[in-house]
Amino acid sequence: MSQKGDRSNKLINNNSSGIVIGGGISGLIAATLLQRKGIKVTVIDKGRGIGGRLATRRIKYSETIEGICDYGTQYFSVKQPGFQVWVDDWLEQGVIKEWCQGFNEVDGKPRYCGINGTRGIAKYLAQDLDVCTSTRVFKINYDRQWLVETNSGKKFQGDFLVMTPPVPQSLKLLDDSNIALPPDIRQSLEQVDYHSCIAVLALLDRPSSIPQPGGIGIADENLVWLADNYQKGISPNGHAITLHATPSFSEKNWDNTDADIAQKLFAAASTWLDSSIIEYQVHRWRYSLPKTLYGQSCLTLPELSLTFGGDAFVAPKIEGAVLSGIAIAKSINH
Ligand SMILES: Cc1cc2nc3c(=O)[nH]c(=O)nc-3n(C[C@H](O)[C@H](O)[C@H](O)COP(=O)(O)OP(=O)(O)OC[C@H]3O[C@@H](n4cnc5c(N)ncnc54)[C@H](O)[C@@H]3O)c2cc1C
């Protein structure tokens, strides 16, 4: 599509400063690379913790029993050399480990996970960056510089803006701020669509029956994935499991109570539970995995000093988000 051609930004120099909305992995990678070039970058995220869909949470039951669950990304593998470089660093720094070489069957390809949960990867990347969490951007304005307003009352200014939230959230922010995009671009971005996913995090009183290595893909109408975070090695003080519902279950049951959702998913997983549930939480991912991609690693509008990126621009997985983050940085400072 001609509209998706090269719109790379030539307005940025090394004295520029920028703002990245979204502290998921794509935003963190872009900010890291731009900062390495001497560009001042601030990352703003609405989440309490950094990482977006790299999400890990504690479920405390008692002083001695607590579970730790990855409830977004579960594991990842590597295809592209550009991603391998980052993975090698995370391995060397003790941020990730090889979990296994396949779940339902072994194929010899490493599957990695965070040593302290997948959020640990985001924390590692964020440690040297200027990051504001628990800060939701609700209005943006461009007048030769970007002005970003947040719910905390703090305002940020930058020469360029990067938007990495799921695309419908970025478009809503533009609408709320009365910023119009060229119609062809707007139309292409509106095509990007996502599955939703309901996750249930549960603490069991005994080990689960999930087979080694502690993760199993399930061909069921309600359940798509089941993980044992204790076997995975991230939940040493509790038999914590993660259940991911199918997109169709998630859509159908979205507005149901947590209790109803949990009861249905525990029933679907009963073969692998074999013990009592002592605590659980439900998390609803409205934007889980992109099902329609943008078709280009990122999108830069030089006339607005604005770049869009995220997994939906490359592939619905960590690797896709990282490659988009790399493309964002290249597009801004090439
Ligand atoms: C249930 C589930 C399971 C998954 N399993 C896997 C897997 O096993 N392997 C794999 O490789 N990938 C998996 N993924 C996909 C992977 O998590 C994503 O591809 C990747 O994390 C996307 O990163 P991102 O930076 O593009 O987006 P995100 O991580 O979504 O980051 C966007 C950030 O923008 C922030 N934001 C949004 N609006 C605002 C605002 N107005 N102001 C401030 N901040 C804002 C959000 O808080 C968020 O942190 C899974 C995802 C889910 C949800």
Side-chain angles (χ1 to χ4, degrees), residues 22 24-26 45-46 52-53 72-75 137 165 310-311 317-318:
I25 192 146
S26 61
D45 199 286
K46 65 183 171 137
R53 282 172 274 164
T73 295
Q74 299 294 297
Y75 66 91
V137 177
D311 61 345
K317 49 186 180 174
I318 294 190

Side-chain angles (χ1 to χ4, degrees), residues 140-293:
I140 54 178
N141 186 51
Y142 183 65
D143 183 10
R144 280 170 297 164
Q145 275 225 316
W146 280 100
L147 180 69
V148 165
E149 294 184 53
T150 67
N151 63 343
S152 66
K154 235 174 148 185
K155 292 182 184 178
F156 298 83
Q157 251 182 325
D159 300 305
F160 63 89
L161 182 69
V162 175
M163 298 182 89
T164 66
V167 174
Q169 292 183 331
S170 292
L171 291 178
K172 177 159 189 321
L173 183 53
L174 289 166
D175 289 345
D176 292 347
S177 308
N178 292 318
I179 294 173
L181 297 176
D184 54 324
I185 295 289
R186 171 83 197 198
Q187 211 184 357
S188 303
L189 288 170
E190 276 175 358
Q191 305 303 312
V192 178
D193 196 9
Y194 295 75
H195 292 293
S196 55
C197 174
I198 298 180
V200 176
L201 302 63
L203 199 49
L204 308 179
D205 66 348
R206 276 178 290 133
S208 77
S209 311
I210 298 169
Q212 276 186 345
I216 183 167
I218 295 160
D220 179 85
E221 61 177 309
N222 295 332
L223 210 53
V224 70
W225 170 258
L226 202 50
D228 182 325
N229 297 285
Y230 179 82
Q231 284 191 58
K232 190 178 187 177
I234 67 166
S235 180
N237 300 318
H239 294 287
I241 58 164
T242 303
L243 299 88
H244 281 163
T246 56
S248 66
F249 177 96
S250 301
E251 272 158 39
K252 217 160 68 194
N253 294 275
W254 192 259
D255 294 321
N256 293 6
T257 62
D258 286 1
D260 177 71
I261 288 167
Q263 182 246 314
K264 285 177 179 158
L265 292 180
F266 290 146
S270 58
T271 314
W272 296 281
L273 297 190
D274 204 20
S275 52
S276 305
I277 288 131
I278 53 178
E279 200 75 64
Y280 72 86
Q281 295 175 8
V282 174
H283 183 87
R284 292 167 179 77
W285 294 103
R286 169 64 74 198
Y287 303 106
S288 162
L289 300 178
K291 53 180 162 179
T292 322
L293 301 177

Side-chain angles (χ1 to χ4, degrees), residues 57-164:
R57 191 190 283 178
R58 274 169 208 281
I59 313 182
K60 194 169 168 97
Y61 178 69
S62 69
E63 280 315 308
T64 50
I65 303 174
E66 72 166 14
I68 299 177
C69 296
D70 278 336
Y71 60 102
T73 295
Q74 299 294 297
Y75 66 91
F76 59 93
S77 51
V78 184
K79 278 198 177 141
Q80 301 295 328
F83 182 42
Q84 185 72 59
V85 176
W86 293 87
V87 171
D88 289 344
D89 177 57
W90 301 339
L91 280 167
E92 204 180 303
Q93 297 300 321
V95 177
I96 61 167
K97 64 175 183 180
E98 184 177 312
W99 181 2
C100 61
Q101 298 194 349
F103 294 96
N104 298 27
E105 62 188 64
V106 173
D107 61 11
K109 235 172 50 181
R111 305 315 198 265
Y112 300 103
C113 68
I115 285 180
N116 296 313
T118 52
R119 200 190 294 282
I121 303 169
K123 284 185 181 165
Y124 169 72
L125 289 169
Q127 66 190 349
D128 297 323
L129 295 172
D130 178 23
V131 170
C132 295
T133 49
S134 301
T135 308
R136 177 193 288 269
V137 177
F138 71 89
K139 201 168 173 201
I140 54 178
N141 186 51
Y142 183 65
D143 183 10
R144 280 170 297 164
Q145 275 225 316
W146 280 100
L147 180 69
V148 165
E149 294 184 53
T150 67
N151 63 343
S152 66
K154 235 174 148 185
K155 292 182 184 178
F156 298 83
Q157 251 182 325
D159 300 305
F160 63 89
L161 182 69
V162 175
M163 298 182 89
T164 66

